[in-house]
Amino acid sequence: MNSSILHFISPPIPYFLDCGRATFDIGERHITRNGIGVFDLIVITKGALTIGENDREWELQQGEGLILKPDAIHYGAAPCTSETEMIWIHFQTFGSWKEYGDMKECLDNQADLIESHKQIAYLNHCDVCSIFLPKHIRVTQKEMEVLNNFTHLDQEPQSMRNWKRQAAFQLFMQHLDRDLASMSDASAFLLAEKIELFIRQNYARNITNSLLQQELNYHPNYLAKCMLKIYGMTPIEYLTYYRIEQAKKLLIQTSWSVARIAEEVGFNHVSYFSSCFSKKEGISPSNFRMKFIGPR
């Protein structure tokens, strides 16, 4: 099923707000509204619903869903021809997001969306990642079980209800994200994640293309191709990126010298560390620290 993709940057992970069920008799249609300020995930559990967003329309059958954007016009594009029931979930994010036509467009624009995210999210030194959600969803049996759990949670006391709803919502989002990844280039995603995990666990070591080939048993050219496709950078470029992200944390969480921080994150020479840091952040490590904790 071809669908555009909603690309979110996390953290923060998109968070649950409210949920419920709605029914439509024959001849009724979805209400028209404009700019409700939250994402509206709807899943049809019985019948069919024709719904529009701005200038696009979908006829959703049982077991299908749609994510409507917070800044768009939503409307019933046609009356229901049978009794229809749906589950709806409202959610939102503080982070950057954008709708793209396909996964290639998402990945091509990933770096720009991440940079935008770091300007509007809580901190500009957090370790971020992408979440990909299909706009038009074919809900699996396992995902439907998670959704139906929201109804059972109405019986929970208020002190526990929203905690469990948030957990169920995140599980549903995780299923959608992983399903979409598996339908794209699963082998590239899996290998890129292995490379990323190895770098995260070993970034202070002297990581080279030869070491990655030895550890992962793939030619460096193929490793680079997979990383470029999923992360928009080669393994060695990602290594430098990740080292600088770790250095940013140490700059504002410790009183260590810049030289010590450079060594801790895997740079052999403080001058090279400062050069890489300034090139990426547009500011020296010392001035970056001063922004957050003042002159020492």
Side-chain angles (χ1 to χ4, degrees):
M1 178 172 59
N2 292 328
S3 171
S4 56
I5 297 169
L6 293 163
H7 185 173
F8 294 84
I9 305 298
S10 169
I13 294 173
Y15 56 88
F16 168 86
L17 289 171
D18 197 7
C19 65
R21 290 180 179 266
T23 60
F24 301 89
D25 292 330
I26 295 174
E28 291 186 322
R29 64 176 72 198
H30 191 281
I31 193 171
T32 298
R33 62 205 181 181
N34 183 19
I36 63 172
V38 295
F39 291 92
D40 187 12
L41 164 66
I42 60 175
V43 174
I44 307 305
T45 57
K46 178 183 178 181
L49 183 70
T50 304
I51 191 163
E53 179 187 74
N54 295 339
D55 58 352
R56 299 173 64 189
E57 296 180 1
W58 297 262
E59 185 176 350
L60 304 178
Q61 304 295 324
Q62 181 176 337
E64 292 183 351
L66 189 70
I67 300 177
L68 298 168
K69 296 183 292 185
D71 54 354
I73 301 172
H74 311 155
Y75 56 93
C80 293
T81 58
S82 62
E83 291 186 358
T84 299
E85 298 177 359
M86 75 177 193
I87 296 172
W88 59 266
I89 298 175
H90 288 168
F91 68 96
Q92 189 52 284
T93 181
F94 283 116
S96 288
W97 67 274
K98 196 163 184 179
E99 182 177 342
Y100 294 107
D102 54 29
M103 184 61 79
K104 182 180 185 304
E105 192 177 359
C106 286
L107 297 174
D108 287 346
N109 291 279
Q110 184 169 223
D112 289 340
L113 197 61
I114 287 174
E115 287 308 309
S116 169
H117 178 82
K118 290 187 174 183
Q119 301 304 315
I120 67 173
Y122 294 116
L123 298 171
N124 70 353
H125 58 275
C126 58
D127 185 18
V128 301
C129 66
S130 290
I131 296 173
F132 304 106
L133 303 180
K135 185 174 185 68
H136 185 193
I137 305 159
R138 178 79 67 181
V139 182
T140 66
Q141 181 178 351
K142 182 177 291 187
E143 291 160 359
M144 189 61 76
E145 290 172 0
V146 175
L147 283 178
N148 285 326
N149 188 41
F150 279 90
T151 300
H152 304 319
L153 292 175
D154 285 340
Q155 311 306 315
E156 293 281 345
Q158 186 181 46
S159 60
M160 294 299 297
R161 189 162 57 242
N162 282 343
W163 285 107
K164 292 187 176 182
R165 281 175 168 173
Q166 175 66 26
F169 169 72
Q170 288 185 192
L171 179 60
F172 183 75
M173 293 289 104
Q174 184 180 1
H175 278 300
L176 294 182
D177 179 49
R178 302 313 298 173
D179 286 348
L180 185 58
S182 67
M183 288 188 297
S184 302
D185 189 339
S187 59
F189 267 94
L190 290 173
L191 184 53
E193 288 190 337
K194 287 182 179 180
I195 299 167
E196 187 265 350
L197 183 60
F198 180 82
I199 289 173
R200 284 170 58 93
Q201 294 174 339
N202 299 277
Y203 66 92
R205 294 173 58 187
N206 180 28
I207 296 179
T208 62
N209 283 322
S210 297
L211 177 62
L212 291 172
Q213 181 177 15
Q214 177 183 333
E215 293 289 336
L216 299 168
N217 204 27
Y218 285 95
H219 192 278
N221 289 348
Y222 185 65
L223 297 176
K225 179 181 177 181
C226 292
M227 281 293 286
L228 279 167
K229 182 170 187 178
I230 307 306
Y231 289 95
M233 57 187 89
T234 67
I236 301 305
E237 288 171 341
Y238 183 83
L239 172 63
T240 301
Y241 160 82
Y242 189 76
R243 283 172 169 171
I244 290 174
E245 291 301 303
Q246 301 314 298
K248 287 159 69 176
K249 296 177 183 181
L250 294 174
L251 284 165
I252 65 174
Q253 293 172 359
T254 74
S255 59
W256 294 351
S257 68
V258 171
R260 179 178 176 183
I261 290 173
E263 183 179 357
E264 290 286 338
V265 300
F267 285 92
N268 293 326
H269 303 286
V270 65
S271 58
Y272 181 60
F273 164 66
S274 296
S275 174
C276 291
F277 192 101
S278 299
K279 183 178 180 180
K280 180 179 180 298
E281 299 297 323
I283 189 173
S284 70
S286 297
N287 286 336
F288 178 87
R289 168 180 272 167
M290 195 175 300
K291 280 176 55 179
F292 294 98
I293 63 176
R296 299 183 59 80

